Amino acid sequence: MGAVSGFFGTLASMIPLQFCVLDPDNQMFFDLSIFGHSARVNAVALITGLLIIAVTWAFALAINEIRHRWLARKRIIAATDSAPGAFVGYSFSPWIFIAPTVIGLALFTYYPAAQNFFLGTQLARRGVANTAFICLDNFASLITNPLQDAHYYVISNGFFFLAENARYLAVLGNSFFFSVLIVLCTNVLGIAIATVASQKIRGAVVYRTLMIWPYAISGVVVGVVFAVLLGGGGSGFFNQGLQLLGLPSLPFLSDPWWARISVVMAATWNKLAFNVLIYIAALQAVPKELLEAASIDGANAWQRFLNVTLPIISPYIFFVVFLNLNYSFFDLFAVIDNLTGGGPVNSTTNLVVDVIRVGVESRDIGKAAAQSIILLLIVIGLTYLQFRVLGRRVTYGVD
Amino acid sequence: MTPITAKRAVEKPPGPRLQAIREPLVVKRWYIHLLLWIIVLFMGFPLFYAVLVSTQSNAQMFRLQLTPGDSFGINLEAVLDRNIARLMFNTFAVASMVTFGKAALSIFSGMALVYFRFPGKSLVFGFILVALMVPGEVTIIALFRLVALDLGWGNTWTALVIPAVASPTGVFLFRQHFASITPELSEAAQLDGANPLQFLFRVLLPLSRNAVAALVVIMFIGAWNSYLWPLLIVTNPDLQVIQVGLSTLDDGLEIGRTYGPIMLGAVIASIPPIVIFVLMQKQFLQGFALTRNK
């Protein structure tokens, strides 16, 4: 199975390339140094190899998944196809009911997604209808493009490996940095707050309302307000407070690392209300008998939380973690754009912000489409991971 | 013992014994209340600060004054000068249209997926499920090219409303909701001679009032808060929405910048979604019960 899909995957990705990899005019090189050893790498060949691996892998997964589904369907085919309560004698109306949605999705989701693959191989400028085929140069330029003034110590700067001229790797590093920290902060804080808020206490519903209303606040408002709290022309609220305590003020939005921390703080606050909401519901579903039994066995509060509560709410944790991962990879644009604008010197530019910078501000649609394809690959990876983790029962018992 | 006395015994209100058992469940420890209030302040703090600064001048803000200032009138004037009323109206109109369209299409599609049998149904459902996984940001560059260049909808509300109306999330949630309603209902309706539309409007919608309300809240807040798409596709300030207008309030030079109007704009832009969210909280939480089953 794997060999067959591997063969077809390679074939499928080679045909549209028109063997342009072999064209000597299309060679782009960059210097890669890993732990001090430096080498000259052909970017087009590297990208082609990576694409073939990715496509093959995706094909193998898809075939495996379809086979799995097909086997599962055969077993439950009677249950799904009987459709109890279906209207009899209406063969045309379901199509009328569902056509607007299907047409809308085909035109505004599927067509642009497919168009990305075409535009990714083109030299396309914003506002210009004509395009020209340039092979994989858009992808290759992601790793050969000069870094200019970007700070990129997340994955480079001699500490892990140094990819010279790799602006996109720095952007990728920023995205992963944000995701890890945001998921960690929102979930730890969310569970902690929900633990307090789910106590049976007078006025619990009122407290819950007072805690979760920030759910309705937009990313723009979060960005704008935190820009005043943290920045404020160098003396925002936080720095005023630090000065009042006799401490030196911090360069929240002007230092690359502090700017990243600021984005994490703002995004954490933006998502916290949602997590608290879910975790309150999750914690209230924990059966009291189990907690009582544990305390009779001599478990203290922390042990009860670790050994009883946490395993029971773990499906909720996975669910929330995946939603937060999606948020921190794809929905941070409004916060970043209004808090730091991607700066200072690109240190808070993540994948989506870079797509907009390249595609809209630099007017290079082709390169932005190439970046969108990488975003799509990340989506596929996240979705696959989500199905693998959430598809399995994480804990026996209450759900 | 006769059946009558047995019934009476059941109907008897819970006696003092039962109440004594229930009582200790409600915790009355003051430090939990204190902790909860600290959390409430922490959660709301950035917006509370925004409300505070929206009444202050720059000097008062930089003095770390924690009482309302005297510049609310000036700030309001500055915000109104930036045409915030127009922006709010635009956002309200666009968000309402998007919400209505999304809800209507989702209800019809959900109904088609649950109450009809047609060839390729699971294929259509798969088509919608795959679209559910793809965030809009992934396709936004190609979508921008399609809508602005090929369709020529740049700088129109059409571009804001039409691409947003087909909602895989809405279809999926309504499908799950309708599938959880007992099929005997539609069988009974068919026996009574109802056609699908009569069944939808007389039976299904009155039954699904909570689910519809919850999804409308989620959709409205989502549409109200959308930023990236209007930022790209609309450049005419008369057609712009509040989220983009808000970030242009911030565009002043660092030196001449006054923070009061910016914060006032942020507060005004947040009022409608917060009010709707708090008013419809009960239905909204049931909407979450729906999403959690994903």
Side-chain angles (χ1 to χ4, degrees), chain A residues 60-364:
Chain A
L61 283 184
I63 288 171
N64 192 32
E65 194 64 34
I66 288 166
R67 190 177 129 263
H68 186 78
R69 288 281 160 89
W70 190 61
L71 288 179
R73 247 182 83 86
K74 258 165 79 180
R75 256 180 277 127
I76 53 164
I77 200 138
T80 48
D81 270 20
S82 64
F87 278 85
V88 184
Y90 292 91
S91 53
F92 201 56
S93 20
W95 292 108
I96 298 176
F97 281 9
I98 210 159
T101 302
V102 169
I103 293 171
L105 291 180
L107 189 58
F108 297 118
T109 301
Y110 281 91
Y111 176 70
Q115 187 80 349
N116 269 339
F117 284 90
F118 167 72
L119 288 172
T121 63
Q122 303 285 317
L123 179 66
R125 307 294 295 177
R126 181 185 157 198
V128 181
N130 288 338
T131 61
F133 180 72
I134 53 165
C135 193
L136 290 178
D137 286 8
N138 283 326
F139 292 91
S141 70
L142 292 183
I143 48 177
T144 58
N145 222 26
L147 189 63
Q148 285 160 356
D149 50 0
H151 282 248
Y152 56 108
Y153 355 59
V154 170
I155 49 170
S156 55
N157 223 15
F159 117 88
F160 178 54
F161 74 95
L162 183 74
E164 307 245 349
N165 306 329
R167 178 176 192 270
Y168 195 70
L169 286 186
V171 169
L172 203 64
N174 284 339
S175 267
F176 279 101
F177 179 83
F178 289 150
S179 307
V180 170
L181 278 194
I182 290 168
V183 167
L184 207 67
C185 293
T186 46
N187 283 283
V188 170
L189 276 176
I191 292 176
I193 290 174
T195 307
V196 180
S198 63
Q199 306 275 337
K200 283 209 181 304
I201 200 161
R202 202 175 292 272
V205 179
V206 179
Y207 281 122
R208 192 185 60 192
T209 309
L210 290 174
M211 278 178 204
I212 61 175
W213 62 266
Y215 168 85
I217 291 174
S218 74
V220 178
V221 171
V222 171
V224 166
V225 171
F226 270 79
V228 175
L229 279 173
L230 299 166
S235 51
F237 178 81
F238 282 9
N239 276 334
Q240 290 166 16
L242 287 174
Q243 276 165 8
L244 219 64
L245 297 171
L247 297 166
S249 58
L250 294 168
F252 281 111
L253 299 182
S254 48
D255 173 76
W257 276 111
W258 276 109
R260 289 185 186 119
I261 302 289
S262 302
V263 169
V264 170
M265 288 202 284
T268 299
W269 184 71
N270 195 7
K271 255 313 165 236
L272 196 53
F274 174 82
N275 286 14
V276 168
L277 186 58
I278 300 271
Y279 283 134
I280 288 177
L283 288 170
Q284 281 170 347
V286 175
K288 296 286 164 293
E289 305 83 55
L290 287 180
L291 292 171
E292 279 161 20
S295 60
I296 288 167
D297 287 347
N300 63 30
W302 175 245
Q303 284 169 332
R304 279 203 301 273
F305 175 75
L306 215 60
N307 297 317
V308 181
T309 310
L310 214 53
I312 289 175
I313 66 168
S314 60
Y316 291 90
I317 296 179
F318 283 112
F319 172 71
V320 170
V321 162
F322 278 113
L323 283 182
N324 291 347
L325 271 179
N326 262 318
Y327 165 79
S328 54
F329 266 108
F330 303 108
D331 290 345
L332 276 183
F333 179 83
V335 174
I336 293 177
D337 196 39
N338 288 288
L339 182 57
T340 63
V345 279
N346 285 332
S347 59
T348 55
T349 300
N350 75 349
L351 293 166
V352 173
V353 174
D354 205 41
V355 167
I356 304 302
R357 291 276 173 278
V358 169
V360 179
E361 284 162 30
S362 309
R363 310 179 79 88
D364 193 340

Side-chain angles (χ1 to χ4, degrees), chain B residues 67-213:
Chain B
T67 51
D70 52 9
S71 303
F72 180 73
I74 300 168
N75 292 338
L76 188 65
E77 226 167 88
V79 169
L80 289 176
D81 268 355
R82 292 294 195 113
N83 225 351
I84 200 166
R86 174 86 208 174
L87 291 170
M88 290 292 278
F89 170 78
N90 288 351
T91 317
F92 191 79
V94 169
S96 305
M97 284 191 278
V98 168
T99 306
F100 180 79
K102 264 188 175 179
L105 290 197
S106 304
I107 288 169
F108 279 117
S109 305
M111 204 184 158
L113 287 172
V114 174
Y115 291 106
F116 291 96
R117 214 175 290 156
F118 57 93
K121 184 158 108 176
S122 59
L123 215 64
V124 170
F125 187 49
F127 181 85
I128 290 166
L129 270 189
V130 170
L132 179 68
M133 307 296 168
V134 181
E137 285 78 6
V138 171
T139 55
I140 200 151
I141 287 294
L143 184 67
F144 176 67
R145 199 176 147 87
L146 170 75
V147 170
L149 201 75
D150 299 338
L151 296 173
W153 289 352
N155 261 329
T156 58
W157 279 1
T158 320
L160 292 182
V161 176
I162 299 294
V165 156
S167 154
T169 322
V171 176
F172 180 76
L173 293 178
F174 273 114
R175 184 208 172 260
Q176 300 300 85
H177 173 67
F178 291 154
S180 73
I181 294 174
T182 171
E184 273 125 44
L185 224 72
S186 79
E187 278 159 13
Q190 284 180 71
L191 281 182
D192 290 344
N195 66 29
L197 281 181
Q198 284 170 328
F199 172 64
L200 175 65
F201 286 109
R202 302 245 177 101
V203 181
L204 211 50
L205 283 186
L207 257 180
S208 318
R209 204 175 293 147
N210 274 341
V212 174

